Short mmCIF file of all heavy atoms in Angstrom, two decimals:
data_model
loop_
_atom_site.label_atom_id
_atom_site.label_comp_id
_atom_site.label_asym_id
_atom_site.label_seq_id
_atom_site.Cartn_x
_atom_site.Cartn_y
_atom_site.Cartn_z
N LYS G 87 68.83 47.84 70.09
CA LYS G 87 68.71 46.50 69.41
C LYS G 87 68.21 46.54 67.92
O LYS G 87 68.37 45.56 67.28
CB LYS G 87 67.99 45.54 70.24
CG LYS G 87 68.81 45.08 71.42
CD LYS G 87 68.36 43.82 72.13
CE LYS G 87 66.97 43.36 72.03
NZ LYS G 87 66.51 42.67 73.31
N ILE G 110 70.44 59.36 53.02
CA ILE G 110 69.39 59.21 52.00
C ILE G 110 69.59 60.33 50.94
O ILE G 110 69.46 60.08 49.73
CB ILE G 110 68.06 59.42 52.64
CG1 ILE G 110 67.73 58.15 53.49
CG2 ILE G 110 66.92 59.53 51.62
CD1 ILE G 110 66.53 58.16 54.42
N ALA G 145 61.60 56.46 35.37
CA ALA G 145 60.88 56.25 34.08
C ALA G 145 61.64 55.34 33.20
O ALA G 145 62.88 55.37 33.10
CB ALA G 145 60.60 57.66 33.43
N TRP G 173 64.34 50.86 48.88
CA TRP G 173 64.37 49.58 48.39
C TRP G 173 63.59 49.52 46.98
O TRP G 173 64.09 48.84 46.02
CB TRP G 173 63.67 48.54 49.30
CG TRP G 173 63.50 47.15 48.79
CD1 TRP G 173 62.42 46.58 48.18
CD2 TRP G 173 64.49 46.08 48.91
NE1 TRP G 173 62.62 45.29 47.91
CE2 TRP G 173 63.94 44.91 48.29
CE3 TRP G 173 65.76 46.04 49.53
CZ2 TRP G 173 64.60 43.69 48.18
CZ3 TRP G 173 66.44 44.80 49.35
CH2 TRP G 173 65.83 43.68 48.70
N ASN G 185 64.23 42.07 34.48
CA ASN G 185 62.92 41.48 35.03
C ASN G 185 61.83 41.92 34.16
O ASN G 185 61.58 43.15 33.96
CB ASN G 185 62.64 41.78 36.41
CG ASN G 185 61.30 41.40 36.97
OD1 ASN G 185 60.25 41.77 36.46
ND2 ASN G 185 61.30 40.59 38.05
N THR G 189 60.17 45.73 33.89
CA THR G 189 60.50 46.54 32.67
C THR G 189 59.31 47.03 31.97
O THR G 189 59.13 48.17 31.64
CB THR G 189 61.32 45.61 31.65
OG1 THR G 189 62.43 45.05 32.34
CG2 THR G 189 61.75 46.40 30.41
N LYS G 220 55.42 63.95 64.60
CA LYS G 220 54.99 65.08 63.77
C LYS G 220 56.08 65.80 63.03
O LYS G 220 57.26 65.29 63.11
CB LYS G 220 54.27 66.15 64.71
CG LYS G 220 53.12 65.55 65.52
CD LYS G 220 52.39 66.66 66.29
CE LYS G 220 53.06 67.05 67.58
NZ LYS G 220 52.23 67.91 68.38
N ASN G 221 55.78 66.86 62.42
CA ASN G 221 56.87 67.67 61.76
C ASN G 221 57.47 68.58 62.92
O ASN G 221 57.17 68.32 64.04
CB ASN G 221 56.42 68.51 60.51
CG ASN G 221 55.62 69.71 60.89
OD1 ASN G 221 55.13 69.93 62.07
ND2 ASN G 221 55.34 70.54 59.92
N GLY G 232 55.14 70.96 66.51
CA GLY G 232 54.77 70.05 65.37
C GLY G 232 53.31 69.87 65.04
O GLY G 232 52.37 70.01 65.90
N PHE G 246 36.93 66.70 63.04
CA PHE G 246 37.15 66.16 64.40
C PHE G 246 37.80 67.27 65.32
O PHE G 246 38.95 67.59 65.21
CB PHE G 246 38.07 64.94 64.34
CG PHE G 246 37.54 63.78 63.65
CD1 PHE G 246 37.92 63.43 62.43
CD2 PHE G 246 36.50 63.02 64.25
CE1 PHE G 246 37.42 62.38 61.67
CE2 PHE G 246 36.01 61.94 63.45
CZ PHE G 246 36.43 61.64 62.26
N GLN G 254 48.91 67.60 71.03
CA GLN G 254 48.49 66.25 70.76
C GLN G 254 49.42 65.71 69.55
O GLN G 254 49.76 66.50 68.66
CB GLN G 254 47.03 66.15 70.24
CG GLN G 254 46.06 66.11 71.44
CD GLN G 254 45.02 65.08 71.18
OE1 GLN G 254 44.81 64.62 70.04
NE2 GLN G 254 44.26 64.70 72.23
N ALA G 261 45.60 75.32 59.88
CA ALA G 261 44.72 75.45 58.74
C ALA G 261 45.13 74.30 57.75
O ALA G 261 46.23 73.77 57.89
CB ALA G 261 44.90 76.75 57.98
N PRO G 262 44.22 73.87 56.84
CA PRO G 262 44.57 72.80 55.90
C PRO G 262 45.81 73.35 55.11
O PRO G 262 45.88 74.47 54.69
CB PRO G 262 43.40 72.64 55.02
CG PRO G 262 42.28 73.44 55.59
CD PRO G 262 42.89 74.33 56.64
N GLU G 263 46.75 72.45 54.84
CA GLU G 263 47.89 72.83 54.13
C GLU G 263 48.76 73.88 54.63
O GLU G 263 49.47 74.64 53.98
CB GLU G 263 47.65 73.07 52.59
CG GLU G 263 47.14 71.92 51.82
CD GLU G 263 46.87 72.19 50.28
OE1 GLU G 263 47.50 73.15 49.79
OE2 GLU G 263 46.02 71.45 49.75
N GLU G 328 54.54 34.36 54.83
CA GLU G 328 53.20 34.14 55.60
C GLU G 328 52.91 35.29 56.48
O GLU G 328 52.38 35.09 57.58
CB GLU G 328 53.28 32.78 56.33
CG GLU G 328 53.42 31.56 55.45
CD GLU G 328 53.39 30.25 56.15
OE1 GLU G 328 53.21 30.20 57.39
OE2 GLU G 328 53.58 29.24 55.47
N SER G 338 36.65 51.97 59.15
CA SER G 338 36.17 50.78 59.91
C SER G 338 37.34 49.80 60.14
O SER G 338 37.11 48.94 61.00
CB SER G 338 35.08 50.08 59.03
OG SER G 338 35.62 49.72 57.82
N GLY G 355 40.43 63.07 42.74
CA GLY G 355 40.13 62.41 41.47
C GLY G 355 41.08 61.22 41.17
O GLY G 355 40.91 60.54 40.17
N GLU G 363 50.20 49.80 55.99
CA GLU G 363 50.66 49.83 57.29
C GLU G 363 51.62 48.59 57.41
O GLU G 363 51.26 47.49 57.42
CB GLU G 363 49.66 49.69 58.37
CG GLU G 363 48.71 50.90 58.50
CD GLU G 363 49.31 52.03 59.33
OE1 GLU G 363 50.38 51.87 59.92
OE2 GLU G 363 48.67 53.11 59.33
N ARG G 369 55.03 43.61 68.28
CA ARG G 369 56.08 42.99 69.13
C ARG G 369 57.20 43.99 69.22
O ARG G 369 57.68 44.34 70.26
CB ARG G 369 56.54 41.70 68.50
CG ARG G 369 57.91 41.23 69.00
CD ARG G 369 57.94 40.85 70.48
NE ARG G 369 59.27 40.63 71.04
CZ ARG G 369 60.03 41.53 71.50
NH1 ARG G 369 59.68 42.86 71.61
NH2 ARG G 369 61.29 41.24 71.89
N PHE G 370 57.60 44.61 68.15
CA PHE G 370 58.58 45.72 68.09
C PHE G 370 57.99 47.06 67.82
O PHE G 370 58.53 48.03 68.04
CB PHE G 370 59.75 45.39 67.12
CG PHE G 370 60.48 44.16 67.44
CD1 PHE G 370 60.26 42.97 66.75
CD2 PHE G 370 61.47 44.22 68.51
CE1 PHE G 370 61.02 41.79 67.02
CE2 PHE G 370 62.21 43.05 68.81
CZ PHE G 370 61.92 41.85 68.13
N PHE G 372 57.27 50.41 66.38
CA PHE G 372 58.07 51.35 65.46
C PHE G 372 59.52 50.99 65.56
O PHE G 372 60.33 51.42 64.74
CB PHE G 372 57.90 52.75 66.06
CG PHE G 372 56.52 53.29 66.07
CD1 PHE G 372 55.89 53.58 67.26
CD2 PHE G 372 55.78 53.26 64.95
CE1 PHE G 372 54.55 54.02 67.30
CE2 PHE G 372 54.46 53.68 64.93
CZ PHE G 372 53.85 54.09 66.14
N GLN G 378 64.63 42.75 59.83
CA GLN G 378 63.32 42.51 59.20
C GLN G 378 63.10 43.41 58.02
O GLN G 378 62.08 43.34 57.41
CB GLN G 378 62.24 42.71 60.18
CG GLN G 378 62.13 41.56 61.19
CD GLN G 378 60.78 41.48 61.95
OE1 GLN G 378 59.74 41.71 61.41
NE2 GLN G 378 60.84 41.32 63.27
N THR G 382 60.56 42.51 54.85
CA THR G 382 59.41 43.41 54.75
C THR G 382 59.30 44.05 53.43
O THR G 382 58.30 44.10 52.74
CB THR G 382 59.52 44.52 55.80
OG1 THR G 382 59.59 43.93 57.13
CG2 THR G 382 58.32 45.51 55.79
N ILE G 393 49.43 45.68 42.45
CA ILE G 393 48.61 46.91 42.43
C ILE G 393 48.90 47.60 41.11
O ILE G 393 47.96 48.14 40.41
CB ILE G 393 48.74 47.73 43.63
CG1 ILE G 393 48.21 47.05 44.92
CG2 ILE G 393 48.03 49.09 43.44
CD1 ILE G 393 48.49 47.74 46.29
#
Side-chain angles (χ1 to χ4, degrees):
K87 282 195 339 211
I110 294 174
W173 175 266
N185 173 300
T189 307
K220 302 188 280 185
N221 76 348
F246 296 104
Q254 277 224 346
E263 293 183 24
E328 296 182 3
S338 59
E363 290 281 353
R369 163 64 190 90
F370 297 102
F372 303 118
Q378 291 197 40
T382 302
I393 293 172

